[in-house]
Amino acid sequence: MPPITASQIAALQKNSGNIRNICILAHVDHGKTSLSDCLLATNGIISPKLAGKIRYLDSRPDEQLRGITMESSAISLFFKIMRRSQDAAEATAEEYLINLIDSPGHIDFSSEVSTASRLCDGALILVDAVEGVCSQTETVLRQTWIEHIRPILVINKLDRLITELRLTPSEAYIHISKLLEQVNAVMGGFFAGERMEEDLKRRERAEKQSTRKAQDANTDIGPDAEGVMFEEKDDEDIYFAPEKGNVIFSSAIDGWAFTVKQFASIYERKLGFKNSILEKVLWGDFYLDPKTKRVLGQKHLKGRTLKPMFVQLVLDSIWAVYESTVIKRDQEKIEKIVKSLNLKVLPREMKSKDTRALLMTIFSQWLPLSTAVLVSVIEQLPSPPAGQKQRIPLILDGTPGHNDISPSVRDALVNFTKSKEAPVVAYVSKMVAVPESELKKNCRVQLTAEEMRELGRQKRQQIARKLAEEANAASEPATDHATPPTTEIPDTQIPSAEDAPPVEDKERLIGFARLYSGTIKVGQELYVLGPKYNPSSPTEHVQKVTVTELYYMMGRDLQVLDEVPAGNVFGIGGLEGKLLKNGTLCSVNQGGVNFAGIGMGGTPIVRVALEPKNPSELNKMIDGLKMLEQADPCAEYIVQDTGEHVILTAGELHLERCLKDLRERFAKIEIQASPPIVPYRETIVSVPDMAPPKEKDKDLPRGTTVGVTPSSNISIKIQTRPLPAAVTQYLIRNSLAIKKMNSEYAERESVNRRARGRGNTGGNRRDGGQGVENDEIKDEQSGEANEQQKIEPASAAGGTTTAEPKEAATKNDLDENDAVLEANKTRVLTLAEFKKGLQEVFENECPPNEKDTWANVVNNIAAFGPRRIGPNILVDATGTGLFRHLLNTNSTSNAIAETTSHSLDISPILLHSFQLFTASGPLCAEPLQGVAIFIHSITIPEMLDPSTLNPRQFRGELLTLAASAYKSTFSDWSPRLLLAVYIVTILVPPAALGRVYTVITRRRGRILSEEMREGTPYFTITATLPVKESFGFSDELRKRTSGEAASPQMVWGGYEVVVDEDPWWTPLTEEELEDWGEGGGVEKEGVATVRGWVEEVRMRKGLFVQGRKLVVGAEKQKTLKR
């Protein structure tokens, strides 16, 4: 099939019923790009012999070098199919346009998967027949479930079952069946979780209705009321089954694939069965009786050993081809197979010594991959009109401010209105950086045969005319008087093309988009709706833009279009400086929809500080960083308070790619990068060998202190305790619920503040003149999320200098754990559910001797920290209602209770000090985790007149007192440093197990499980690995195992204590002094390691380090004497 031209593309784009927008999703190295190559070969883009080897859609050099995909790429394919209707005698040709997006499988580039899936209506989910369901396979299946796109399962690399595992057809059938069950189990888990959530919501509605019924006995609310009855849903459509046509069996590297439907049509005439019957019985426990030619179920075998029909009619034939060509060359058998299949194989190919080429020739004619895949895509996956009618209502309900979306916009999206008068709505999933030389002005246009003949004719005429002119000039007599005077021009005045300075090839940003309604044209004016846009505030986060270019994407090439109708995936120019990463384009500025407001996957956790090698090129580096941040969906760029330019990436491989792009494409200068900066957490634990409490008053329990301000005005009694581990994990899992609770409270406070007005001044204020300072503290508290951006590696907006810095990120107040929860669409608990669950954890998981300590803590929680959503709590143990209790719905106090003995309100200052302390711990100024701080009492002299206080001095004294008290009580316990860890999954053959264990343990990893994958000789190892130790892990693993171990998949796993030692431990007891000596803590195993980590972070942050030498080897001080 010849390559498709631009005119054909433009014509096909208008027939939306024959368009399919699909993406290929899979775990890394499961064959996505090889499958894409086979599909491209059908359009004449690459040679069929190079399919699976050239990896056409891996257009980056580093992608070709590493053999993995790093960026999602789109290409448009043309496919023609012959269809015969029931009444028509002859089949008619139908032309289809398939917009294919190939996505990465590596965990570092999971954000690329999110950008690809949002643009599509269907997906091909590839699973390796040997490796089975891996970590990223579950991730992409969840992505299809969240995005409501219809998947097709492709069981790839079936050739490995024959050539590597050497399974018989019967064993392979059992193996494939179990693999299919694993995939369906994952889909069933998603369905069960959704049904549980719906059931919970139904119960909540029922409780509300019963409450209303109790309040109003006259209200008729029966058991059949709306929302009370639980509606059962059929889950049959969510599972993969070969008889349904949504399962494809393939080997992309050998270029073949088939479905059950294909073999049903092959054996329809031979066996005399109807096609519809064969489709149902070719898969499953159905057997063909050789005598009666009848299909039998398993219960009718009566002890006979028959092969399932799938083995007998399908797998045996495929195994026979491999055995006669690849495994054991049998020329006679090959000729017999070719003849029986009625294939046309040339004699030179039959005699070829390249067995793999012969195998591909046979399969390309018998079971071509493109036919099986593209026919299944056309028949199983929906067109844009059908897909939007199903998906859009579900997606719109999850967008911000969905109740305020304009009815005309909603109708156009759901009903797929593509007329020119319809509102234009397009979603830009990411920005793609393209060299200017590869854009339309410099790109070669695909010509038709007639155009090429005309161009050749014109060229021949030009050559003939030039030759004639030269002949005429030579025949003319050379006379001196006829020659006009000429002035010689020196050669230096005519610069050659070689001497001309090279033109810099700039990078241009093109939006990668999908049009949902209307028709978009070049020169049209649209509104860009940022990720924070809300239809209820239509004037905020909106910019106007003019469309400058439209493209359809052919992998690495861009072809120009004048207009794009709805339902197509396309590239759009003119968005530079208007859109950071993703956004929505809309032709109306009122009641628009925000597709970009839904959380996407990908969490940057690795940071490096950058600086140019030549300081004068700093501006070039900054411009390059801005360009990189726009072009990469996951990379983020911030400027810290110290002036450092920091880039945040998802992992080691992502970091390497970003630095390479920055040096070679965006900044084009030499850049120096610091060692990777990874996050830590600080906590405290209770262990037997702790030092005695430092407090002078021995009657106070451990971790308790009484502090007094320098002016002796106020004294505070504070106690710090480690939270139970189960409580800490519960707070981490439900951080989104805490965030929602704080935002709702902030909205209520804002409404109340506006209702009260600001008329209360002077003596009417309850705080006696302290209100201004308290308001300042509240304002600072409201901005703590922005302050934390300098600390949290998941921050994004801080310091970003782009055209619209306020839209620098949609998750600027989430850390790594929160972003993972949001990406996985974890259900957010209500206030009642969160409180109930927290109480149960305190009751069930606390040690028996601490039950009384945590008895009524839940009702007295005053704050969470840091950033008001972290896994640390501030408890109001005063009993006077000094603080607002977050989880106590019966609490009526706003800031200070009426029972307090003084009108001075210091609660905002203490809350602020708590947030500051939990955001910057005493070990190395890293955030705290798992710490509870109790405020037992606050003593204020009754004679203290607030009007006589200096507000700023008083506030400074109180903040200093709280900080010193927190630090003092923290040091009474045994501190621990928590390291960020990955959950690593590795597929290993038995021979390499020991070497893999050696590499993991050397890098302070911990083995969690080792399971043998059933039906294969491989083991699946699951371990934890510190992020700090993960750099170079893949390369070392590959070297140590000689490439036998599969590429490790590293998923964010939270924080844990890797080395369980106190960094400031010193020997105290006689036994310890005898073993370690005085000051021998440095020699104790593990202590020196943890202390080194702490001092490394302190040095990086410019903090004091005990015993650090600032000058080494200084022999003589410089003087002015000679």
Side-chain angles (χ1 to χ4, degrees):
M1 189 178 295
I4 190 169
T5 63
S7 58
Q8 288 176 299
I9 286 282
L12 290 171
Q13 284 183 341
K14 296 177 182 178
N15 187 5
S16 57
N18 285 4
I19 296 175
R20 299 293 184 272
N21 297 316
I22 64 170
C23 55
I24 302 180
L25 310 176
H27 188 77
V28 65
D29 290 333
H30 278 202
K32 298 181 295 300
T33 308
S34 298
L35 181 74
S36 302
D37 275 2
C38 295
L39 300 180
L40 299 183
T42 63
N43 274 223
I45 299 173
I46 61 174
S47 169
K49 294 183 179 180
L50 296 177
K53 304 180 182 67
I54 195 172
R55 300 198 307 276
Y56 181 82
L57 293 180
D58 287 350
S59 56
R60 296 172 55 96
D62 48 356
E63 288 179 324
Q64 293 286 341
L65 182 64
R66 293 180 178 271
I68 63 172
T69 305
M70 297 184 186
E71 288 183 350
S72 54
S73 303
I75 196 165
S76 297
L77 301 178
F78 170 71
F79 187 67
K80 183 185 293 185
I81 187 172
M82 304 297 292
R83 290 186 182 274
R84 180 185 289 109
S85 60
Q86 296 179 354
D87 301 332
E90 296 183 0
T92 57
E94 292 187 5
E95 297 180 344
Y96 288 86
L97 177 66
I98 297 174
N99 296 317
L100 176 71
I101 302 177
D102 181 27
S103 63
H106 197 281
I107 188 66
D108 280 9
F109 309 107
S110 58
S111 56
E112 294 278 353
V113 178
S114 302
T115 61
S117 59
R118 175 55 60 86
L119 303 179
C120 299
D121 302 306
L124 296 175
I125 308 295
L126 270 66
V127 178
D128 191 321
V130 175
E131 296 183 7
V133 178
C134 299
S135 59
Q136 198 67 2
T137 309
E138 295 187 21
T139 302
V140 298
L141 285 171
R142 182 183 292 108
Q143 193 69 35
T144 61
W145 183 269
I146 292 171
E147 296 290 344
H148 308 287
I149 59 180
R150 191 177 301 174
I152 291 179
L153 178 66
V154 181
I155 301 178
N156 194 28
K157 299 190 179 183
L158 286 177
D159 59 291
R160 295 184 65 188
L161 301 180
I162 309 171
T163 58
E164 291 184 22
L165 301 187
R166 299 298 176 97
L167 300 181
T168 64
S170 299
E171 293 171 342
Y173 169 70
I174 296 172
H175 179 84
I176 295 171
S177 301
K178 292 181 178 178
L179 173 59
L180 197 58
E181 290 176 2
Q182 292 176 7
V183 178
N184 285 331
V186 175
M187 299 299 293
F190 298 152
F191 178 80
E194 187 178 87
R195 296 301 290 155
M196 290 175 64
E197 182 176 350
E198 291 177 358
D199 184 42
L200 185 60
K201 292 180 179 178
R202 178 192 65 87
R203 294 177 184 274
E204 292 177 358
R205 290 195 298 267
E207 291 177 0
K208 291 180 181 178
Q209 291 184 1
S210 61
T211 304
R212 289 200 304 268
K213 185 177 180 180
Q215 294 175 353
D216 187 1
N218 299 326
T219 304
D220 185 13
I221 302 179
D224 295 331
E226 182 181 357
V228 177
M229 296 301 293
F230 185 69
E231 180 184 353
E232 292 293 342
K233 287 186 179 180
D234 188 10
D235 61 344
E236 184 180 357
D237 294 338
I238 70 171
Y239 296 116
F240 298 103
E243 61 270 18
K244 295 180 183 178
N246 59 1
V247 177
I248 301 173
F249 306 90
S250 75
S251 171
I253 196 67
D254 290 335
W256 60 267
F258 67 89
T259 61
V260 167
K261 186 175 181 179
Q262 278 183 271
F263 273 94
S265 61
I266 292 173
Y267 287 107
E268 180 181 3
R269 294 182 180 179
K270 291 183 179 180
L271 300 178
F273 290 105
K274 290 183 178 180
N275 196 330
S276 58
I277 296 176
L278 272 177
E279 289 179 11
K280 295 178 181 178
V281 300
L282 264 181
W283 176 266
D285 294 330
F286 297 100
Y287 306 85
L288 182 64
D289 192 334
K291 295 181 180 180
T292 62
K293 300 295 182 182
R294 295 180 59 186
V295 177
L296 305 176
Q298 192 169 16
K299 60 182 179 180
H300 296 101
L301 288 179
K302 299 179 180 179
R304 289 184 292 177
T305 55
L306 297 178
K307 293 181 180 179
M309 292 182 67
F310 188 77
V311 175
Q312 183 181 357
L313 302 179
V314 180
L315 296 185
D316 280 348
S317 303
I318 295 174
W319 257 245
V321 176
Y322 272 91
E323 288 173 356
S324 59
T325 54
V326 178
I327 297 176
K328 186 178 180 182
R329 182 68 179 261
D330 188 341
Q331 192 68 27
E332 184 178 346
K333 192 173 182 181
I334 293 173
E335 294 176 357
K336 186 178 179 182
I337 290 172
V338 170
K339 185 177 180 181
S340 63
L341 295 176
N342 196 21
L343 307 178
K344 295 180 181 180
V345 182
L346 297 176
R348 60 183 175 83
E349 292 179 342
M350 292 287 290
K351 297 177 182 179
S352 173
K353 294 183 180 180
D354 188 353
T355 57
R356 185 67 67 174
L358 177 59
L359 179 79
M360 294 178 66
T361 303
I362 294 173
F363 274 116
S364 64
Q365 298 184 43
W366 180 33
L367 300 172
L369 182 141
S370 58
T371 302
V373 172
L374 295 181
V375 169
S376 298
V377 165
I378 290 170
E379 294 181 348
Q380 295 293 324
L381 300 183
S383 61
Q388 287 187 202
K389 194 168 186 177
Q390 175 191 2
R391 293 179 61 212
I392 291 298
L394 301 173
I395 293 177
L396 290 181
D397 290 342
T399 58
H402 60 91
N403 294 325
D404 297 316
I405 297 174
S406 172
S408 61
V409 173
R410 183 182 289 270
D411 292 342
L413 290 171
V414 175
N415 299 324
F416 190 77
T417 308
K418 61 177 183 178
S419 63
K420 297 181 180 180
E421 295 77 18
V424 173
V425 179
Y427 171 62
V428 182
S429 65
K430 69 170 184 173
M431 302 295 286
V432 182
V434 181
E436 196 169 9
S437 59
E438 296 182 10
L439 293 179
K440 180 250 176 184
K441 302 160 190 170
N442 303 311
C443 278
R444 191 171 56 186
V445 179
Q446 180 70 35
L447 302 177
T448 63
E450 185 64 32
E451 290 172 339
M452 284 190 284
R453 282 193 291 269
E454 177 64 23
L455 190 62
R457 186 181 63 80
Q458 294 175 2
K459 195 70 175 176
R460 286 192 297 271
Q461 288 179 354
Q462 291 176 2
I463 294 173
R465 191 180 300 114
K466 185 176 181 181
L467 290 174
E469 291 175 355
E470 291 177 354
N472 293 334
S475 62
E476 290 181 358
T479 57
D480 295 338
H481 63 275
T483 304
T486 59
T487 304
E488 290 189 2
I489 301 177
D491 294 339
T492 55
Q493 295 183 10
I494 308 176
S496 64
E498 296 179 357
D499 298 333
V503 179
E504 185 179 358
D505 193 6
K506 297 182 179 180
E507 296 284 336
R508 294 277 304 279
L509 289 174
I510 303 297
F512 189 29
R514 157 79 182 268
L515 186 60
Y516 288 97
S517 68
T519 300
I520 191 169
K521 296 181 179 181
V522 175
Q524 187 175 2
E525 289 188 349
L526 299 173
Y527 295 96
V528 177
L529 312 182
K532 294 185 178 181
Y533 171 80
N534 194 309
S536 59
S537 303
T539 58
E540 299 178 2
H541 308 290
V542 178
Q543 295 188 71
K544 207 168 188 178
V545 68
T546 301
V547 179
T548 56
E549 301 104 8
L550 292 173
Y551 304 95
Y552 73 89
M553 297 187 173
M554 296 295 291
R556 63 193 78 181
D557 299 326
L558 296 173
Q559 303 295 338
V560 177
L561 294 170
D562 294 327
E563 65 177 26
V564 177
N568 288 283
V569 176
F570 64 100
I572 179 171
L575 301 181
E576 292 186 64
K578 303 292 184 180
L579 197 63
L580 182 62
K581 292 181 181 292
N582 59 350
T584 310
L585 301 179
C586 193
S587 58
V588 296
N589 60 350
Q590 299 288 334
V593 59
N594 182 9
F595 285 119
I598 302 174
M600 310 297 274
T603 309
I605 58 175
V606 177
R607 299 179 292 171
V608 292
L610 305 177
E611 63 179 6
K613 195 170 184 179
N614 184 356
S616 64
E617 297 177 326
L618 178 62
N619 290 333
K620 288 185 178 180
M621 188 191 76
I622 294 174
D623 293 339
L625 284 169
K626 294 177 186 178
M627 179 77 75
L628 173 65
E629 186 181 23
Q630 285 186 278
D632 194 297
C634 192
E636 295 173 3
Y637 161 55
I638 62 173
V639 180
Q640 294 186 332
D641 280 347
T642 57
E644 286 182 308
H645 299 271
V646 176
I647 183 174
L648 295 85
T649 61
E652 180 187 9
L653 187 58
H654 187 212
L655 174 62
E656 290 181 16
R657 192 194 77 176
C658 290
L659 292 178
K660 179 180 176 66
D661 285 348
L662 191 60
R663 292 181 177 123
E664 298 178 2
R665 297 177 59 189
F666 301 129
K668 295 182 181 179
I669 60 173
E670 289 295 324
I671 292 177
Q672 296 176 340
S674 71
I677 304 168
V678 295
Y680 295 89
R681 291 292 183 270
E682 301 177 21
T683 190
I684 51 177
V685 295
S686 177
V687 292
D689 59 346
M690 289 187 297
K694 299 177 182 179
E695 187 63 33
K696 298 178 181 179
D697 190 351
K698 302 301 181 183
D699 296 333
L700 295 176
R702 180 181 290 274
T704 306
T705 186
V706 177
V708 183
T709 58
S711 57
S712 302
N713 289 330
I714 298 177
S715 64
I716 305 176
K717 182 180 179 182
I718 296 177
Q719 182 184 15
T720 299
R721 295 187 64 88
L723 274 174
V727 176
T728 304
Q729 293 303 318
Y730 180 85
L731 295 178
I732 292 173
R733 287 196 308 269
N734 295 282
S735 57
L736 297 181
I738 304 174
K739 177 190 173 188
K740 179 183 176 183
M741 177 179 61
N742 278 294
S743 62
E744 290 176 351
Y745 172 78
E747 290 178 3
R748 290 196 303 268
E749 283 293 301
S750 177
V751 172
N752 293 338
R753 192 179 298 113
R754 286 197 298 267
R756 290 194 302 265
R758 297 186 178 272
N760 295 333
T761 57
N764 294 331
R765 297 192 63 99
R766 293 176 55 197
D767 55 6
Q770 291 294 323
V772 175
E773 291 301 314
N774 292 339
D775 285 343
E776 289 179 5
I777 294 173
K778 289 176 183 177
D779 292 339
E780 289 182 15
Q781 284 181 316
S782 65
E784 280 163 9
N786 296 329
E787 291 296 324
Q788 188 61 20
Q789 290 166 4
K790 304 154 191 169
I791 302 170
E792 289 298 320
S795 61
T800 305
T801 53
T802 60
E804 192 176 358
K806 293 182 180 179
E807 296 184 8
T810 58
K811 299 190 292 257
N812 61 342
D813 54 350
L814 298 180
D815 71 356
E816 303 89 353
N817 296 305
D818 308 330
V820 170
L821 293 173
E822 190 175 78
N824 293 339
K825 299 295 179 183
T826 305
R827 193 177 79 85
V828 180
L829 301 181
T830 62
L831 175 60
E833 292 170 349
F834 174 77
K835 179 180 178 181
K836 181 180 178 182
L838 187 59
Q839 285 177 332
E840 291 177 354
V841 173
F842 270 116
E843 292 172 0
N844 301 331
E845 302 296 336
C846 290
N849 58 340
E850 296 183 5
K851 292 285 186 182
D852 296 338
T853 304
W854 308 105
N856 198 30
V857 164
V858 175
N859 290 325
N860 294 326
I861 293 178
F864 296 92
R867 298 171 298 115
R868 295 172 292 166
I869 59 173
N872 307 284
I873 60 174
L874 178 68
V875 182
D876 179 13
T878 60
T880 61
L882 176 66
F883 298 92
R884 168 182 57 89
H885 298 165
L886 292 177
L887 304 181
N888 189 357
T889 55
N890 297 325
S891 176
T892 57
S893 62
N894 290 329
I896 186 168
E898 298 295 338
T899 57
T900 329
S901 60
H902 205 279
S903 61
L904 187 63
D905 183 8
I906 64 172
S907 58
I909 303 177
L910 294 178
L911 288 171
H912 185 53
S913 65
F914 169 74
Q915 299 295 340
L916 291 176
F917 177 70
T918 53
S920 181
L923 282 183
C924 51
E926 290 288 326
L928 299 185
Q929 176 174 307
V931 177
I933 296 178
F934 294 78
I935 306 293
H936 284 287
S937 64
I938 297 177
T939 305
I940 304 175
E942 295 185 5
M943 63 187 69
L944 181 64
D945 184 6
S947 61
T948 62
L949 296 176
N950 184 340
R952 298 189 180 278
Q953 178 185 354
F954 172 75
R955 175 190 173 197
E957 287 184 357
L958 200 55
L959 284 174
T960 304
L961 169 64
S964 61
Y966 294 150
K967 186 175 181 180
S968 173
T969 55
F970 186 92
S971 60
D972 274 357
W973 303 91
S974 184
R976 292 292 185 272
L977 191 66
L978 300 171
L979 273 67
V981 296
Y982 284 132
I983 303 296
V984 184
T985 305
I986 315 171
L987 197 66
V988 189
L993 271 176
R995 286 169 284 174
V996 172
Y997 274 38
T998 302
V999 174
I1000 293 175
T1001 52
R1002 185 187 296 120
R1003 291 175 173 266
R1004 304 187 185 278
R1006 179 169 57 91
I1007 305 297
L1008 299 179
S1009 65
E1010 174 196 313
E1011 298 177 355
M1012 187 167 188
R1013 194 173 287 270
E1014 190 174 356
T1016 70
Y1018 294 97
F1019 287 84
T1020 301
I1021 295 178
T1022 305
T1024 62
L1025 183 72
V1027 176
K1028 181 181 178 61
E1029 303 287 344
S1030 67
F1031 303 101
F1033 174 70
S1034 300
D1035 293 338
E1036 183 181 1
L1037 194 66
R1038 201 176 297 113
K1039 291 175 184 177
R1040 295 287 181 180
T1041 61
S1042 302
E1044 293 182 350
S1047 178
Q1049 285 293 293
M1050 294 182 280
V1051 184
W1052 173 253
Y1055 296 89
E1056 68 175 33
V1057 178
V1058 176
V1059 180
D1060 192 13
E1061 294 290 347
D1062 181 353
W1064 311 127
W1065 179 86
T1066 53
L1068 295 174
T1069 64
E1070 293 182 2
E1071 293 82 0
E1072 291 172 349
L1073 289 171
E1074 184 178 347
D1075 291 339
W1076 308 105
E1078 294 238 10
V1082 178
E1083 304 298 330
K1084 186 178 179 181
E1085 183 181 2
V1087 173
T1089 302
V1090 182
R1091 183 174 295 181
W1093 292 340
V1094 171
E1095 291 178 350
E1096 177 186 346
V1097 177
R1098 293 185 69 89
M1099 288 174 62
R1100 173 170 56 82
K1101 294 184 176 183
L1103 303 176
F1104 173 72
V1105 177
Q1106 184 71 32
R1108 177 190 175 193
K1109 293 183 179 180
L1110 298 179
V1111 180
V1112 179
E1115 297 177 354
K1116 183 178 180 182
Q1117 184 179 1
K1118 183 178 179 181
T1119 64
L1120 296 178
K1121 293 183 179 180
R1122 298 201 175 200

